[in-house]
Amino acid sequence: MISPETFFDGAPAVNASAPGRVNMLGEHTDYNDGFMLPVATPQRTLAAVKPSGDDHFHFYSSTLDESVSFGRKFHAPQGFGSYIEGCVRLMEEHGVDVPPLRVYVSTNLPVGAGMSSSAALEVAVLRAIRELTGANVDDVLLARMAQQAEIRFAHVNCGIMDQMASSIADEEHLLFIDARTLEHHLLPMPEGAELIVMDSGVPRKLAASKYNERRAECNEAARMLGVQALRDVTDPDSVERLPTPLRERARHVVRENMRVLEAARGVSAARFGELMNASHASLRDDYEVSIEELDVLCARLREQPGVYGARLTGAGFGGAVVALCEKGRAQSAAREALFRYNTAHRQGRILIPEMAANNGEST
Ligand code: GLA
């Protein structure tokens, strides 16, 4: 592993960072112009930058211990470098004069567990470039640029939630986002509650292909219902006349939006937990993006005293689950659920609350 001092031959010009996200409610709603409620993770990605002084970009990830270098007019090879290059190019398209850079990134976010390590990488790098160049880019525009970097340079067809959350959310509040207008505001967490986030230990294998399939199904459902996006469906019963599986997909999205709007009006922790459980059932039965391990892990969490509700978080097909728990009981509930979940073939881990014994990632 190379140290920042060695990489920069001294100090960087700018240090920036950005968090990952855990979505509490509102899954697979962002690309339907809908609503969601993520929070920022305590885990963050750091990006340090400095003009390279030559005609090349040089990127290094201490987490992967990988480096890439390429000329100003060339492209980074696919991998972590394409996310960073995307950020540089998006800034250039915005009219910002970005010199060839040395960029050093590191993270304590688990990569591939569904906590949006890619959005954190993009937002951290864009923040670093914004500070270095003095670019006039607000936090919403920065989130949009991060999303475009991911879609166009890393070829992941994501919505806007992860980048908005990384750019704007904090750890103490829910961030309400309207994906159509990008209006957003911070809301208090349900009173007397705290979070548990656990990785199921199952990599999200089918996520990309199924994600694109679900997006296409939602577009088709919206077309058949004669609305611009499923967000515009006001009568939840109207989806029942669609053919299967569009009916089930649309049912999930329409009702998930209703759950978010109810939660955003302010509900007790117990009610929030019920909404999370309903969200998971809908993702499992109607949207069909859960897998057995996520169902089992949620069930183990719900069995614990003090747990109000649990659901898969992120795209599904593996990755993480989130639970809402009575304040002060998260550590023991998470440990007990992990103990009951793990088998010889299945090893989960606790991501939040952060516990030294559970966090093997380097910073
Ligand atoms: C991934 C995408 C987000 C969102 C979620 C599902 O995390 O990056 O834009 O669509 O899946 O809610």
Side-chain angles (χ1 to χ4, degrees):
M1 199 172 90
I2 304 171
S3 70
E5 295 69 35
T6 309
F7 182 75
F8 290 111
D9 194 16
V14 167
N15 279 302
S17 76
R21 67 96 188 93
V22 180
N23 190 21
M24 296 296 294
L25 211 53
E27 216 65 81
H28 291 278
T29 49
D30 61 352
Y31 52 82
N32 291 298
D33 279 1
F35 312 109
M36 57 234 69
L37 285 172
V39 299
T41 61
Q43 293 91 342
R44 299 180 77 86
T45 295
L46 312 177
V49 305
K50 186 181 177 176
S52 67
D54 59 26
D55 211 27
H56 282 66
F57 288 96
H58 306 273
F59 304 156
Y60 177 72
S61 161
S62 76
T63 311
L64 303 171
D65 193 18
E66 271 177 34
S67 52
V68 298
S69 292
F70 56 99
R72 199 172 192 167
K73 306 247 174 304
F74 294 88
H75 291 292
Q78 277 300 304
F80 82 99
S82 37
Y83 292 83
I84 303 176
E85 189 207 342
C87 296
V88 171
R89 302 302 178 203
L90 263 294
M91 279 285 189
E92 288 176 341
E93 285 178 22
H94 188 70
V96 180
D97 190 11
V98 186
L101 296 172
R102 297 185 80 79
V103 182
Y104 185 105
V105 294
S106 60
T107 192
N108 60 351
L109 271 161
V111 176
M115 285 172 115
S116 292
S117 57
S118 56
L121 172 61
E122 294 143 12
V123 171
V125 169
L126 285 166
R127 282 180 173 165
I129 299 175
R130 175 170 70 182
E131 194 177 329
L132 181 79
T133 59
N136 182 17
V137 171
D138 68 24
D139 291 341
V140 171
L141 177 57
L142 191 120
R144 283 184 195 271
M145 290 170 134
Q147 181 199 20
Q148 286 305 310
E150 178 139 355
I151 294 173
R152 289 171 42 200
F153 289 83
H155 308 296
V156 178
N157 194 19
C158 59
I160 189 70
M161 168 172 69
D162 305 345
Q163 292 77 11
M164 278 292 285
S166 181
S167 183
I168 295 168
D170 66 31
E171 290 169 46
E172 280 82 41
H173 297 87
L174 301 164
L175 177 69
F176 175 84
I177 306 171
D178 177 336
R180 172 170 285 166
T181 61
L182 296 191
E183 274 168 42
H184 56 275
H185 46 268
L186 294 172
L187 296 171
M189 284 286 217
E191 209 178 321
E194 61 179 327
L195 298 192
I196 298 172
V197 181
M198 288 173 65
D199 179 14
S200 65
V202 181
R204 295 170 304 150
K205 262 192 244 95
L206 285 169
S209 63
K210 291 289 182 189
Y211 188 84
N212 291 332
E213 190 183 295
R214 292 293 176 277
R215 288 188 73 139
E217 289 166 343
C218 288
N219 290 341
E220 180 58 11
R223 195 191 63 74
M224 289 182 74
L225 291 168
V227 291
Q228 187 190 330
L230 289 179
R231 130 58 165 294
D232 300 307
V233 175
T234 44
D235 172 13
D237 292 336
S238 63
V239 305
E240 300 302 326
R241 63 184 158 86
L242 291 169
T244 292
L246 303 187
R247 178 194 313 148
E248 289 76 12
R249 309 302 187 237
R251 189 192 288 149
H252 165 73
V253 173
V254 171
R255 294 190 181 271
E256 186 79 349
N257 278 329
M258 292 168 66
R259 283 186 280 272
V260 174
L261 293 176
E262 181 186 338
R265 284 194 290 271
V267 292
S268 67
R271 178 64 187 149
F272 200 107
E274 284 171 13
L275 294 170
M276 291 172 79
N277 289 341
S279 169
H280 185 84
S282 173
L283 288 161
R284 182 191 59 209
D285 302 336
D286 283 338
Y287 217 65
E288 295 185 281
V289 294
S290 191
I291 54 169
E292 196 197 331
E293 288 84 347
L294 295 173
D295 299 342
V296 171
L297 189 48
C298 286
R300 295 294 85 87
L301 280 159
R302 287 183 201 126
E303 286 161 11
Q304 302 310 313
V307 170
Y308 297 114
R311 58 181 289 276
L312 71 85
T313 182
F317 296 104
V321 308
V322 59
L324 193 71
C325 183
E326 197 181 319
K327 211 168 228 148
R329 298 183 100 161
Q331 292 243 358
S332 58
R335 277 187 213 280
E336 190 62 22
L338 183 68
F339 175 72
R340 289 171 186 272
Y341 169 79
N342 279 349
T343 65
H345 307 290
R346 205 165 63 195
Q347 290 289 313
R349 65 189 158 146
I350 300 165
L351 303 172
I352 298 177
E354 285 185 291
M355 295 185 232
N358 274 292
N359 284 318
E361 292 80 25
S362 56
T363 44

